[in-house]
């Protein structure tokens, strides 16, 4: 295996402590550190060291696709790493967003070629399902909750202008599309007044608290109210949320390990100064009730769990090595990226051991042997789910 050096993205919502603490650096960091990218996405590829120089993982895989990716993966996905592993550290809410399925991404990307750059929605022709595992208590919005419950929440504010939205929600799941359309299509000149009226209502409870927190950041954004249509989830460390295509979601606060298909296709629905294409978002969204967004880890071997996700682009395993004298063995297909989440671990795929401290990562090729992890600590192993 080889040490993998991932770039850190400095988005404004990022934490100035979480990633630095994970990697054992001084805190606070000089600026926000939102995401540590450990993959071959062209937007910010990780690197390995060769002859004292940094070599992009994109170039490394392109030079030896059979060695690093394996023939079956190249046949299925082409000569590219189909997943991206991240550490995500949110100190403020991210935008409401959803991602297209594979067919929508291909069609949207092809159609965008004829549009001006500022009006394009699709960065590539790939889907972007996501799975996030909490490293700390993690707050998120994920999937539509029962619209009758959402109707009661909005009605409690007593704002007459919201009555058409409440009426649509009273129609159950069939009314979700119309409720979201009404909110996101609200006349721009009236948005600040609508949000202010909701905030001025004498209403208590977690939904009102969430709306006030979001409105303080986005006082004229109807996404504040769309957020109240979603499940508000608090993950304990080790729990996960799965975000398939068409799932409207937003991360609010916390640190987690995220794995996704290697795409940059994001359709925003609010809580952002960036462009929102309401029509395209409504076309992509799945207006289905998500009863339970939380994904629990499944034991697969002593010291090893997996968070299930119904895609073959990626698979994510958690490994806990408790006894320095008892290594944990993990046989996985395809290339693998290993992130040390805590402690200090020796990782060997048959090519010689490599020691990882917390926050360090390594990559191994598809044609290497099973992983052997020793020492004391926890690791996250990303690979593909080809059988």
């Amino acid at each position: 295996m080889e040490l993998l050096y991932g770039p850190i993205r400095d988005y404004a919502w990022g934490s100035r402590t979480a990633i630095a603490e994970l990697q054992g650096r001084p805190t606070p960091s000089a600026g926000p550190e939102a995401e540590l990218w450990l993959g071959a996405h062209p937007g910010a590829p990780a690197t390995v060291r060769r002859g004292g120089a940094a070599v992009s993982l994109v170039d490394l895989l392109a030079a030896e696709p059979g060695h690093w990716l394996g023939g079956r993966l190249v046949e299925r996905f082409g000569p590219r790493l189909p997943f991206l592993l991240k550490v995500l550290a949110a100190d403020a809410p991210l935008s409401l967003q959803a991602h297209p399925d594979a067919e929508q991404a291909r069609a949207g990307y092809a159609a965008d070629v004829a549009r001006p750059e500022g009006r394009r929605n699709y960065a590539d022709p790939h889907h972007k399902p996501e799975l996030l595992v909490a490293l700390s208590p993690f707050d998120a919005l994920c999937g539509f909750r029962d619209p009758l419950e959402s109707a009661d929440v909005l009605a409690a504010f007593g704002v007459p202008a919201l009555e058409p939205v409440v009426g649509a929600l009273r129609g159950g799941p069939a009314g979700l599309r119309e409720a979201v359309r009404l909110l996101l299509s609200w006349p721009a000149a009236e948005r600040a007044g609508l949000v202010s009226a909701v905030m001025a209502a004498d209403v208590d409870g977690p939904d009102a608290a969430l709306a006030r927190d979001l409105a303080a950041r986005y006082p004229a954004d109807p996404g504040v109210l769309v957020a109240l249509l979603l499940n508000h989830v608090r993950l304990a460390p080790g729990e996960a949320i799965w975000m398939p295509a068409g799932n409207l979601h937003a991360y609010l606060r916390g640190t987690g390990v995220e794995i996704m298909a290697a795409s940059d296709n994001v359709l925003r629905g609010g809580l952002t100064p960036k462009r929102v294409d309401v029509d395209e978002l409504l076309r992509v969204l799945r207006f289905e009730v998500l009863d339970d967004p939380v994904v629990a880890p499944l034991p697969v071997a002593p010291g090893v769990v997996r968070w299930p996700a119904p895609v073959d682009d990626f698979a994510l395993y958690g490994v806990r090595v408790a006894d320095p004298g008892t290594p944990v063995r993990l046989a996985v297909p395809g290339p693998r990226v290993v992130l040390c989440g805590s402690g200090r671990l020796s990782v060997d795929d048959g090519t010689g051991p490599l020691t990882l401290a917390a926050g360090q990562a390594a990559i191994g090729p598809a044609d290497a042997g099973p992983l052997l992890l020793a020492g004391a600590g926890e690791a996250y192993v990303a690979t593909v789910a080809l059988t």
Side-chain angles (χ1 to χ4, degrees):
M1 302 196 77
E2 298 194 42
L3 279 174
L4 191 62
Y5 300 88
I8 294 176
R9 312 307 300 269
D10 60 351
Y11 308 135
W13 47 262
S15 169
R16 295 183 64 182
T17 58
I19 295 177
E21 288 177 351
L22 175 67
Q23 295 183 327
R25 294 184 281 111
T27 60
S29 56
E33 296 182 336
E35 296 180 344
L36 170 66
W37 284 30
L38 298 168
H41 191 284
T47 61
V48 299
R49 300 289 184 187
R50 291 288 176 87
V55 177
S56 165
L57 192 55
V58 173
D59 296 336
L60 191 71
L61 301 183
E64 300 177 276
H67 169 63
W68 284 101
L69 301 172
R72 291 177 59 241
L73 187 152
V74 172
E75 182 179 352
R76 169 67 178 85
F77 297 105
R80 65 185 188 94
L81 190 67
F83 62 84
L84 172 61
L85 184 68
K86 297 180 181 180
V87 177
L88 182 145
D91 203 36
L94 282 67
S95 62
L96 281 171
Q97 58 188 262
H99 310 296
D101 63 26
E103 183 177 348
Q104 291 165 338
R106 286 192 295 269
Y109 183 69
D112 269 0
V113 172
R115 297 191 180 105
E117 186 170 343
R119 305 294 296 176
R120 295 175 183 174
N121 293 306
Y122 295 89
D124 55 66
H126 307 298
H127 69 165
K128 192 187 177 186
E130 300 175 344
L131 178 81
L132 181 135
V133 178
L135 291 177
S136 70
F138 197 99
D139 284 306
L141 303 171
C142 185
F144 291 109
R145 63 180 175 182
D146 185 338
L148 298 180
E149 182 180 349
S150 299
D152 289 342
V153 168
L154 293 188
F157 290 110
V159 178
L162 285 176
E163 290 178 1
V165 180
V166 172
L169 293 170
R170 298 281 188 216
L176 271 173
R177 176 185 290 272
E178 178 63 6
V180 174
R181 187 195 69 79
L182 286 169
L183 290 172
L184 294 184
S185 303
W186 212 273
E190 301 174 14
R191 290 179 175 182
L194 174 67
V195 175
S196 295
V198 170
M199 296 307 96
D202 186 16
V203 179
D204 294 321
D207 292 297
L210 171 64
R212 291 189 178 103
D213 179 63
L214 296 177
R217 303 172 186 274
Y218 301 100
D221 193 327
V224 170
L225 301 179
V226 176
L228 300 181
L229 311 185
L230 305 180
N231 294 294
H232 187 182
V233 179
R234 166 156 279 203
L235 299 175
E239 291 183 323
I241 46 176
W242 159 243
M243 287 141 293
N247 174 292
L248 191 61
H249 62 277
Y251 300 141
L252 302 177
R253 186 179 297 273
T255 305
V257 172
E258 186 180 32
I259 189 167
M260 62 185 63
S263 168
D264 202 24
N265 285 324
V266 178
L267 294 163
R268 295 176 177 86
L271 308 182
T272 177
K274 296 181 179 180
R275 176 172 172 266
V276 174
D277 186 331
V278 175
D279 290 339
E280 187 64 14
L281 179 67
L282 292 175
R283 191 181 75 83
V284 165
L285 283 181
R286 294 181 180 175
F287 294 95
E288 305 165 349
V289 175
L290 182 60
D291 292 323
D292 186 6
V294 178
V295 178
L298 299 178
V300 296
V304 181
V305 298
R306 178 179 177 179
W307 291 271
V311 293
D312 57 2
D313 308 68
F314 60 78
L316 183 64
Y317 296 85
V319 179
R320 181 189 296 271
V321 185
D323 181 359
T326 308
V328 174
R329 183 179 184 274
L330 177 62
V332 292
R336 65 290 304 259
V337 173
V338 181
L339 168 69
C340 182
S342 66
R344 193 172 183 87
L345 295 171
S346 170
V347 185
D348 192 359
D349 59 3
T351 60
L354 182 68
T355 299
L356 299 178
Q360 289 188 309
I363 185 167
D367 61 6
L371 290 172
L372 198 64
L373 295 94
E378 296 181 338
Y380 297 86
V381 179
T383 184
V384 291
L386 296 175
T387 57

